[in-house]
Structures are given as C-alpha cells and as structure tokens.
Amino acid sequence: MDDFLAARLQMAFSLGFHIVFACIGMVMPFFMSLAHFYWLRTKKVVYRDVTKAWSKGVAIFFATGAVSGTVLSFELGLLWPKFMEHAGPIFGMPFSLEGTAFFIEAIALGFYLYGWNRLNPWFHWATGVVVGISGLLSGILVVAANAWMNSPAGFDYVNGQYLNIDPIKAMFNEAWFSQSLHMCIAAFVSTGFAVAGIHALMILKGKSVKFHSTAFKIAAVFGTVAACLQPLSGDISAKDVAKRQPEKLAAMEAHFHTERFAPLIIGGIPDTANKKVDYAIRIPGLLSFMATGDFNGEVKGLDSVPQEDQPPVTVTHYAFQIMVGLGMAMVLIAVLYFIALWKKKDWLRSRWLLKLFVIATPLGFIALEAGWTVTEVGRQPWIIRGVMRTADAVTPMPGIAYSFYLFTAVYISLAVIVSLLLFRQISMVDKLYDSANQSKDEQL
C-alpha cells in the first residue's frame, strides 16, 4: 500500500468512525432533555428512569466523540500538512468556534450528570438542553469547514498565494447551509431509528416493556419526523451541488453526457469504459427538473469535465444510490408509524411494526456513511475544489501504512468497548426493572 492511499484510507476510516459517535452525541441530548421535560411535568417515574439511562449513554458517546475528534484534528496536520499550511488561516474560524462550543458542552454535561437533586430542577433540565444545542452547533461548524473544501471562498488565489483572506466569508460559504441542514437532519434520522430499533428489540423480548416503550416512542417520533424532512433537504442539496459542483452530480447519477431532459437514473451498473449505465431504471426528464427546476433544463455530464478532474464514478454512484434507497425505506417506515399514531392505534402494539424498526436500526448510519462517501469521493481529485489537489496535500513522511494499521486497530477496539458499555447499560436497566417488578409481585 502506497503512502498516499494509506493516508486517504486512514482519514476515511477516522471520519467514518467519528461521524457515528458525533451524530449520536449531537442528537441524544435532545432525546434526554425531552424525557426529562416529561418527568418534570408529569412526575411519572418512567420518564426519570429513561432520562437517567440516556444521560449515561450521552456521557459515553461524548467521551468517545471527544477522543476520535481529537485524533482527527491531529491527523489533519500530520497527514495533510500542505493543506493545513494554506487552508488553516482561511477556515480556522469554524474550528476555533467549534472548540468553544465543545468547551460549553463539556461544562453543561458536567452540571447535568452531577446535578441530580443538587440543582434547581428546571435549571438542571436547562443544562441538558445546552448540551444538545452546543453539540449541534459543534456539528454545524465542522460541516461548515468541510463545505468550504467543496465551495472555497473568502480569499483570492493569485500565483499560488492566498490573498485578501476573509474568515467570515469562508465560514459562510455557498455550501455551508445546504450541507449543515442535510447533515443535522441525517443525524436525527440515524440516531432516532437506531435508538428506536434497540428499544423495539427489547420490547419484542418482553424486557422492561414500560421503560422501553416510553423510550421507543420518543426516539421513533424524532427519527420518523426527521426522515420525512430529509428528502426536502436532499432536494436543496441536489440543486446546490448541480450549481456549484456539476461534476459531482454527474458522478452521483453516472451521468456521462451533457443533455437536456436528462433522466433520473435509479440503480444500474456504471460502465465507465463505454460511458453508459447498464440495468438502470430511467425516469425521463426528472434529473433535469430536480437539478434546475425545469424538465427541459440542461444537466452537465462528465464529458464537460477534463478526464483528470473527474471524480470516481462507480464509488460515488453506488454510495449515492445506497443513501437515497435507505432514506426512502425509512420514509416508508415513518409513514406507517404516523398512520399507526393517527388512524391505526392497534398497529402500535403489533410485532410487525416493531420488527420493522429493529430491521431499520443500522439503516440510518449506513445511509450517513454513504452520504459522506458521496461528499468526499465526489470532490476528488481535489482537497480544495479547483485550488489544491489531494495528491499535492499529502505528507512526504514515509510509513503511513503502519499508521493506518495502528489507528484502525485502535478504532476497532474503541468501537468494541463502547458497544460492550452500552450493552452493559441496557442490561443494568432491565435487571433494575425486573427486580422492581418482582418486589411488587412479592408485596401483592
């Protein structure tokens, strides 16, 4: 394995790992705060128990996200020194602000975890809300920095020099809003379905049904509402990409030839040698409409981009299809759940609906990883689109392959440890409730 590939793989693996725990850390505090709010309003003990259980999960994911995020910040400098040398002064502001948001989040989480029966109840609840808001802001700021790589702004590039730097304009670049919106909603979808799926599994097993049913409903509502909003943000993102990065849209759709009334391609196997897609479903004119708002609008194909500047088509296309396909599957589950809430109350007690949520447990995070693959691979061969190539930014230091192997082992170990901690936490909750129910039976 050459050093360039090893550096890219290490960054990809690190990002792929961190993004899962970062998204859970962004969203779970809102679940926790809502359960806490219900506890304060109703005084139903089950809401207090759900809140405390979730708060421990938030602490675990906060620690994991902090560790993996810190590693990423070092990797940017160590693996891509040329990139940081030039880009750091331009887009350093969102990273510095993210550090401030992280600092506030850590303080608020400390107040929350140790504030039970010590702080005013509503002030205690408010610290949990601050954890969620600051975590969400951290995610938005990091995505803004990534958006700058896709849509560089806030500087003039003259004769290899970066002049007239404007950090505010760099942070609020043309891509930041669409990417941040899409990412935040994706975090709620993936976390909502994952948490709901775990609690649905516990309900099916008949363990602590009241506790898990309460937790399931909160997570399911968050996840399903977000799933229905995601196609709207996807449409905003698609139109933005069509305008700023037509080559990325072309790779996403395996759209080889510039044309009007361009069809939307569903599935298919890209044949890059012959510039076509085999076995695909084509919906005439829909890609033009989605990209331009006009069924007869022109959509640029890969033939409009020099060969050396074209992104990898096969990986980008498959990742995009996986993201959209899984997203629509979760929308379908969301629609069924809403029907159950409003019209078919008996469905809420049905095993088939719970099994759907169990099956959907990993779907959101698979779609999330696929979406980031589209974002990053679809920008290649650029690390700063149109300005700096990824190959020119990599470190000249040898032996990166060994670093990749080491970090991969560390991340896998960390994932196993976190999974075991969460399993232990769920088991402790079930044992607690089983013991409580047994005591009640003995008293009767």
Side-chain angles (χ1 to χ4, degrees):
M1 182 186 298
D2 64 73
D3 289 334
F4 178 52
L5 178 59
R8 290 188 64 191
L9 286 175
Q10 181 174 329
M11 202 71 198
F13 196 85
S14 301
L15 276 169
F17 180 91
H18 175 70
I19 195 173
V20 172
F21 295 101
C23 285
I24 296 173
M26 288 164 55
V27 172
M28 277 297 294
F30 290 102
F31 296 7
M32 174 188 76
S33 297
L34 183 59
H36 194 171
F37 176 80
Y38 282 138
W39 153 243
L40 293 175
R41 287 293 300 271
T42 67
K43 295 302 179 182
K44 292 183 179 179
V45 176
V46 66
Y47 287 119
R48 182 202 63 192
D49 294 339
V50 169
T51 303
K52 288 190 172 184
W54 277 348
S55 68
K56 293 175 182 177
V58 168
I60 292 171
F61 286 114
F62 176 82
T64 310
V67 171
S68 57
T70 302
V71 170
L72 273 173
S73 65
F74 282 110
E75 285 181 339
L76 280 172
L78 293 173
L79 299 178
W80 313 101
K82 289 292 183 182
F83 168 69
M84 292 304 295
E85 176 187 350
H86 297 290
I90 304 171
F91 80 149
M93 179 174 285
F95 278 129
S96 62
L97 292 176
E98 191 275 337
T100 303
F102 175 80
F103 181 66
I104 294 171
E105 183 183 5
I107 293 173
L109 183 60
F111 273 110
Y112 192 83
L113 293 175
Y114 297 102
W116 287 97
N117 303 319
R118 293 182 177 89
L119 300 173
N120 175 277
W122 285 104
F123 177 79
H124 181 220
W125 169 80
T127 61
V129 176
V130 171
V131 172
I133 294 173
S134 55
L136 197 63
L137 285 175
S138 292
I140 291 173
L141 289 165
V142 170
V143 172
N146 178 268
W148 178 84
M149 297 163 68
N150 293 313
S151 181
F155 66 96
D156 294 324
Y157 188 63
V158 181
N159 297 325
Q161 292 185 315
Y162 298 80
L163 306 175
N164 303 322
I165 294 173
D166 184 345
I168 299 295
K169 189 175 180 180
M171 183 166 68
F172 296 108
N173 57 80
E174 291 184 359
W176 86 270
F177 175 75
S178 60
Q179 279 197 212
S180 296
L181 178 66
H182 200 58
M183 182 65 208
C184 289
I185 296 177
F188 276 94
V189 175
S190 54
T191 305
F193 271 88
V195 175
I198 292 171
H199 290 292
L201 179 62
M202 295 298 104
I203 295 170
L204 288 171
K205 290 184 175 182
K207 295 184 176 181
S208 310
V209 173
K210 184 178 180 181
F211 172 90
H212 289 296
S213 295
T214 302
F216 167 80
K217 185 174 182 179
I218 294 173
V221 169
F222 270 107
T224 51
V225 170
C228 292
L229 293 175
Q230 190 66 306
L232 301 177
S233 74
D235 180 65
I236 294 172
S237 295
K239 285 181 169 58
D240 179 66
V241 169
K243 177 184 176 182
R244 292 182 304 93
Q245 293 178 283
E247 71 282 359
K248 178 182 284 187
L249 180 66
M252 288 158 58
E253 282 291 322
H255 186 64
F256 291 100
H257 307 288
T258 301
E259 61 181 313
R260 294 185 178 275
F261 200 63
L264 179 70
I265 295 177
I266 301 175
I269 300 174
D271 182 352
T272 54
N274 297 307
K275 311 297 182 185
K276 64 176 184 175
V277 183
D278 298 321
Y279 314 113
I281 299 172
R282 291 174 170 81
I283 304 177
L286 189 55
L287 180 59
S288 288
F289 178 76
M290 293 175 68
T292 67
D294 180 1
F295 281 101
N296 200 42
E298 182 181 85
V299 178
K300 293 184 181 296
L302 289 167
D303 58 0
S304 65
V305 183
Q307 183 71 35
E308 65 272 15
D309 294 340
Q310 293 181 9
V313 176
T314 303
V315 174
T316 308
H317 177 70
Y318 286 148
F320 180 67
Q321 297 295 314
I322 290 170
M323 178 186 71
V324 174
L326 294 182
M328 295 312 296
M330 287 183 286
V331 169
L332 177 60
I333 295 174
V335 170
L336 292 173
Y337 185 66
F338 292 146
I339 293 173
L341 286 175
W342 293 331
K343 296 291 184 180
K344 300 285 187 180
K345 298 291 186 181
D346 55 312
W347 286 8
L348 296 173
R349 297 182 295 274
S350 62
R351 294 181 65 84
W352 65 266
L353 184 63
L354 292 172
K355 287 180 180 179
L356 279 179
F357 275 94
V358 172
I359 293 170
T361 300
L363 299 189
F365 286 116
I366 296 173
L368 187 72
E369 298 285 5
W372 269 100
T373 300
V374 172
T375 299
E376 297 302 299
V377 177
R379 189 182 60 248
Q380 299 307 312
W382 306 100
I383 193 169
I384 306 174
R385 181 181 179 268
V387 178
M388 179 183 289
R389 292 180 180 272
T390 309
D392 296 331
V394 72
T395 178
M397 182 179 67
I400 300 299
Y402 299 106
S403 173
F404 167 65
Y405 298 141
L406 175 62
F407 275 87
T408 299
V410 170
Y411 279 127
I412 291 174
S413 301
L414 193 57
V416 171
I417 292 170
V418 170
S419 300
L420 291 174
L421 286 173
L422 292 175
F423 178 78
R424 177 176 175 272
Q425 180 62 30
I426 294 172
S427 299
M428 288 176 63
V429 169
D430 290 333
K431 288 179 180 179
L432 176 65
Y433 266 76
D434 289 342
S435 298
N437 292 332
Q438 185 177 356
S439 299
K440 289 180 181 179
D441 292 340
E442 289 174 354
Q443 290 175 1
L444 292 174

